[in-house]
Amino acid sequence: MTELHSLVERLERAVGRLEMVSHGPGMQSGCGDGLPKGVAEHVKAFDSLLSGPVAEYMKISREIGGDVQKHAEMVLAGLMTERSLLVTASQCQQPTANNFSSLLKPISDQIQVVQSFREKNRGSKLFNHLSTVSESIPALGWVAMAPKPGPYVKEMTDAAMFYSNRVLKEYKDVDKKHVDWVKAYLSIWTELQAYIKEYHTTGLTWSKTGPVPTDSEHGSRAAPSRGGPPPPPPGPPPPPAPAPTSSGSDDPASRSALFAQINQGEAITSGLKHVSDNMKTHKNPSLKNQGGPVRTGPKPFTAPKPACAAGTSQKLPAKKEPPVLELEGKKWRVENQENVSNLVISDTELKQVAYVYKCMNSTLRIKGKINSITLDNCKKLGLVFDDVVGIIEIINSRDVQVQVLGKVPTISINKTDGCHVYLSKNSLDCEIVSAKSSEMNVLVPTDSGDFNEFPIPEQFKTLWNGRKLITTVTEIAG
């Protein structure tokens, strides 16, 4: 406890130094003079993360020592660099894309430092520890992600699952300190996701009243370059202004012609046709009885619409998105595949994930081990895979069949109607979680090679026992 308290004090001193720098003469986070004093609420919340899970992670890393301790110091430097950016954002308005890239460069450089340390120490006995950190440290780049920085942090955390599980398996019954290290490290990103959800839901929050930081103001304060790659790209630009609602042309020539007509004054009526009394129905009642012969053109308010716009939403079929099967970074994208029975993904790695979206009447085979698989909005899809080290998620789908040939720890079924899961003998301990779904069946292999089918309950009975609610499965009547 004494060592943990000392570490917390050290973090608080570092935070204090950053605040002094950010409020020093002419150096208010690169935003100029005259900024309000004090620390923003979201910066204080980030400080709580530093003094909580980060401090615990640093404490255990020092107890383990060696490469883990050195790596942890680099991670702490990255987090402190990110805090400096949060202070800037709390006092400055959002900068231009080029200036924002300059602000992100110190964080990008530190991410590269952390990852390079792992690559230079592949022979380390603690390589799985280094890989756990290296695979997930890009999560610091959430400040450049919009509009979903939280899910980005989760994706980076999931990328570390393979190596963190290796640490847990290796030290589970050997040294509890390493197990605690994994829990402490992963809790940093879990707490960061909660922090982002509360303060930066759709992207880094900037001040609405402060000055705009410039490239020159931040150049002197940026962390020393370490030869890393360029910083993560900034978020997408704001959406374009809505199109004018008028149906006429809005080009300068059209506007000039319109103004010329308006400026005619009384002469604007000179081109109107004179209507005599015998053409007025209220002065010539006989015209009311003539009906059709008077009206030779189309009826009022039923003028034909342009051919390109008439009935577009009803007659023209929806535009089909092109089919996709490609590796994008660490994610296999399988999208918009229809009536394809031989889709195969074979060149897989443990850190990769697969995302299958809007595929119909098709079959997909995934060979080798992969981190996780997600089926989203699929219909009549058959999926066969070898091993998944994380989770397979089935959401918003209908009539899908999933078969595991190796092992999978967790299968999640959500908002899906019609799902058949074929388990292997090695995956019988799989955990299946379902919600808002129907017609779900699990098929368990027998010694003869056949399968026994078991339905997943869809109906439950809940009773109050005086202290809490008790829920039990009930048989569906009928």
Side-chain angles (χ1 to χ4, degrees), residues 428-445:
L428 294 180
D429 58 347
C430 169
E431 181 180 78
I432 301 176
V433 181
S434 61
K436 298 182 180 179
S437 300
S438 64
E439 302 176 34
M440 301 170 289
N441 295 279
V442 178
L443 294 96
V444 179

Side-chain angles (χ1 to χ4, degrees), residues 21-38:
V21 170
S22 67
H23 291 95
M27 292 293 288
Q28 281 91 352
S29 298
C31 292
D33 299 324
L35 291 176
K37 303 293 181 180

Side-chain angles (χ1 to χ4, degrees), residues 30 95-105 212-222:
T96 62
N98 289 337
N99 291 338
F100 189 34
S101 296
S102 299
L103 294 176
L104 293 172
K105 186 173 179 5
V212 178
T214 61
D215 190 12
S216 60
E217 287 172 331
H218 287 274
S220 60
R221 300 193 61 221

Side-chain angles (χ1 to χ4, degrees), residues 119-263:
E119 295 303 321
K120 294 176 182 177
N121 293 275
R122 285 190 165 271
S124 173
K125 294 181 180 180
L126 301 171
F127 180 74
N128 288 330
H129 297 68
L130 304 185
S131 297
T132 297
V133 174
S134 182
E135 291 295 321
S136 54
I137 196 63
L140 288 177
W142 69 266
V143 289
M145 298 299 163
K148 296 181 179 181
Y152 172 76
V153 173
K154 184 180 185 303
E155 183 178 348
M156 292 301 100
T157 308
D158 291 343
M161 185 180 300
F162 171 71
Y163 291 103
S164 62
N165 285 342
R166 277 190 168 186
V167 176
L168 294 175
K169 183 178 180 180
E170 181 179 357
Y171 290 95
K172 181 179 180 181
D173 300 319
V174 179
D175 190 344
K176 186 175 180 296
K177 185 184 301 179
H178 295 262
V179 176
D180 293 338
W181 179 89
V182 171
K183 294 178 180 178
Y185 177 73
L186 295 180
S187 70
I188 295 175
W189 306 121
T190 302
E191 293 294 328
L192 182 61
Q193 291 176 56
Y195 165 79
I196 292 172
K197 184 177 181 181
E198 183 172 357
Y199 296 100
H200 310 275
T201 308
T202 58
L204 179 59
T205 300
W206 293 84
S207 172
K208 299 185 182 300
T209 57
V212 178
T214 61
D215 190 12
S216 60
E217 287 172 331
H218 287 274
S220 60
R221 300 193 61 221
S225 175
R226 302 177 185 265
T245 55
S246 60
S247 60
S249 174
D250 195 33
D251 60 283
S254 299
R255 287 196 297 269
S256 298
L258 174 61
F259 293 146
Q261 289 181 349
I262 295 174
N263 290 333

Side-chain angles (χ1 to χ4, degrees), residues 72 77 263 357 454 456:
N263 290 333
Y357 178 68
F454 300 92
I456 295 178

Side-chain angles (χ1 to χ4, degrees), residues 355-360 374-380 393-400 412-419 435-437:
Y355 181 68
V356 187
Y357 178 68
K358 275 192 176 181
C359 293
M360 299 176 59
T374 300
L375 304 187
D376 185 3
N377 209 3
C378 294
K379 185 177 181 181
K380 295 184 179 179
E393 295 181 278
I394 306 166
I395 57 177
N396 299 319
S397 297
R398 169 173 285 187
D399 299 330
V400 296
S412 173
I413 308 172
N414 195 8
K415 296 181 181 179
T416 294
D417 296 323
C419 181
K436 298 182 180 179
S437 300

